[in-house]
Every structure is written in C-alpha cells, then in structure tokens.
Amino acid sequence: MDSWPVPAPNLPADVHPALAATAVAASAAYGRARREFSRAQLREEVADGADGTPTMRVDAIVEAAIAEAAAAAGANLLSEEAGFLDHGSAATLVVDPVDGSANAAMGVPLSCFAGALVLDDQPVEALTVWFDTGRAWSAHAGRPTPYRTSGRTRLKGASLCMMRPKRGTEDAWMRVVDQAERVRILATTCLEAVLVAEGAVDGFADPGSDTHRLMDLIAALVTVPAAGGALLDLRGRPLSFDLDLSRRWSGIAAATPALADELITAVLG
C-alpha cells in the first residue's frame, strides 16, 4: 500500500461541472486505491476493457468512480474500459481515467486523468489533472490558454517526449532521436501533451506504433492547438469523435505545425 496522499485537483473556476466532477472523483478514487491495495494488486489485470486491452485494477477502480460522477451529472461517458454509457445527453465526456496506468499502479508519480467535453460530435473543452500534484490544465476550443508552446519550429536541437520504441518502430525512433537534443520517455501521453502545450518540451511523438486511442488524444486535440501548437496523426488520419474504440492513431504533438511536419518526416523516413 502507498499511503502518500493524492491531492484534490486544483481546478480553474470555468471548468464544466461534469468535467470537474469526474476529475475530482478520479483523484479521490486513485487516492483510496493506493491506500487499500498493494502495487502488485493495483497492477493486476482484472478484466478486458471495451477498447480490447486488459484492464488493470487501478483503471477499474478509478473508472467506476468516474462513471458514477458522470451519471450524476447527466452526461454520457465514453471510456476505455466501460465503453459508451448513454445517459441521453447531447454532452459526452470522453475520458482516460488513468493515463499512465503502469506508472500509477507502481507508484511512479507520472499519471493523470484526462477528459474532453464533446457536444454532439465536437470536442469543446478539455481537462488534464496530474494525480500526484493536483495540477490541472484546462482549455476551451477556440479560446487562448494562459500557457503557450515553446514556439520551436525545427527538430534539430529540440527537447522531446516520445513513446518507447516498440517492435517495428526502432529505426523511426532513432531517426528522431538522432536529431533531437533531449528525449524523455514518461509513459503517459496525456501528461506529455500538456507539457508540449505549456512549452516545457517542444514535442511528443508516437513513432508509428499506432498505440493511441481516442481518449489518449482528444484532450490534447483541444489543449495543444489552443496553446499555439499542433496535434496530428502521423499518417494523416483525422482525429474525430467516434464510438468505435478499435480505432488507433500515432499521435504527434508539437509546438508548431512546422515542427510537427519535421517530426512526421523524420518518423516516416
């Protein structure tokens, strides 16, 4: 058991009530899970999610709390474990309950809640909460954020986060690494994307593994462009709201469209 407390999220005042409620519920549930279960128990796979991947106990605990909060708020929910929960609303919350599940289970303090509010089929608001600090990033589509990207336009000398090289992507991964000045692997896409949005790193890339689901990228789809950056798929596939959780992308988040283009060119060779 890990008794280190998980703080309540420090949310901006203008966060949509349904997004706020689910984020608060997620942080509280993660805190309880760390107190009540060992790291091995939190990492244990207890089910298969709606997205076709195994569900760790930590994911299941946090998602159950999110589902209850979304239902109380009257919003539909699309989540990686439960799939689509229809409450008859025009508003749908697309949520990654625990992004960085392996980190969260093992006590590595790099995991987060990430969600977006979708009205009809358009993402209009996003919220990302870093569990271990309570720090939150909020963004509204079409409105500037209080943070900005670094503005970097060139890959050479850039500071990047990247998904770890998976089988078949090793050469692409090295083509990017050879040009960057610094590369980090944090294993939490949603947190890495907001680091791009606030200029802490210049970019993030999945070098072709097609790992990302909609909930891995939809918050960044609002947050990164609102901060002046670009959020694209490596192969140009549209990032759009869809209830089909079998769809996959290789997300590229960058400080500028020019840097995104250079990242894509390097990956594709």
Side-chain angles (χ1 to χ4, degrees), residues 4-269:
W4 192 260
V6 176
N10 184 16
L11 300 180
D14 63 348
V15 174
H16 188 279
L19 261 182
T22 51
V24 169
S27 291
Y30 178 46
R32 289 194 302 272
R34 293 211 311 198
R35 291 192 301 271
E36 295 173 7
F37 294 94
S38 69
R39 292 173 179 176
Q41 288 172 322
L42 289 177
R43 191 181 176 90
E44 183 182 355
E45 295 175 356
V46 296
D48 289 324
D51 66 348
T53 62
T55 300
M56 291 185 191
R57 177 173 275 110
V58 67
D59 294 307
I61 291 169
V62 174
E63 187 183 62
I66 288 172
E68 184 176 342
N76 307 330
L77 180 69
L78 181 64
S79 186
E80 59 187 23
E81 319 303 342
F84 183 59
L85 303 179
D86 188 355
H87 297 298
S89 175
T92 298
L93 301 176
V94 181
V95 169
D96 192 338
V98 184
D99 184 63
S101 299
N103 287 345
M106 298 306 294
V108 177
L110 291 168
S111 63
C112 65
F113 161 93
L117 174 68
V118 176
L119 295 180
D120 296 320
D121 62 353
Q122 295 299 310
V124 298
E125 184 179 342
L127 178 66
T128 303
V129 174
W130 185 356
F131 280 133
D132 275 270
T133 68
R135 187 175 180 186
W137 293 261
S138 172
H140 298 258
R143 287 166 46 182
T145 63
Y147 32 85
R148 305 298 291 171
T149 72
S150 68
R152 174 172 279 275
T153 58
R154 301 298 307 276
L155 174 55
K156 185 175 177 60
S159 174
L160 304 176
C161 286
M162 291 185 68
M163 185 166 285
R164 65 179 174 84
K166 298 184 179 182
R167 184 166 297 176
T169 68
E170 297 92 342
D171 290 345
W173 200 88
M174 286 306 304
R175 284 194 294 271
V176 175
V177 170
D178 284 346
Q179 296 185 62
E181 179 179 347
R182 188 180 301 275
V183 173
R184 298 174 176 87
I185 302 173
L186 305 183
T188 169
T189 292
C190 298
L191 192 55
E192 289 164 299
V194 292
L195 293 178
V196 174
E198 70 167 19
V201 297
D202 300 313
F204 165 82
D206 169 5
S209 70
D210 283 358
T211 294
H212 292 132
R213 303 145 302 180
L214 179 65
M215 50 279 303
D216 294 311
L217 298 173
I218 196 166
L221 186 61
V222 176
T223 306
V224 175
L231 192 286
L232 301 170
D233 171 66
L234 175 68
R235 298 180 175 88
R237 294 163 293 195
L239 291 159
S240 55
F241 175 67
D242 193 324
L243 299 182
D244 180 5
L245 294 183
S246 69
R247 295 181 66 191
R248 295 290 188 271
W249 295 267
S250 289
I252 304 289
T256 60
L259 178 58
D261 288 343
E262 285 210 6
L263 276 167
I264 290 170
T265 298
V267 171
L268 296 180

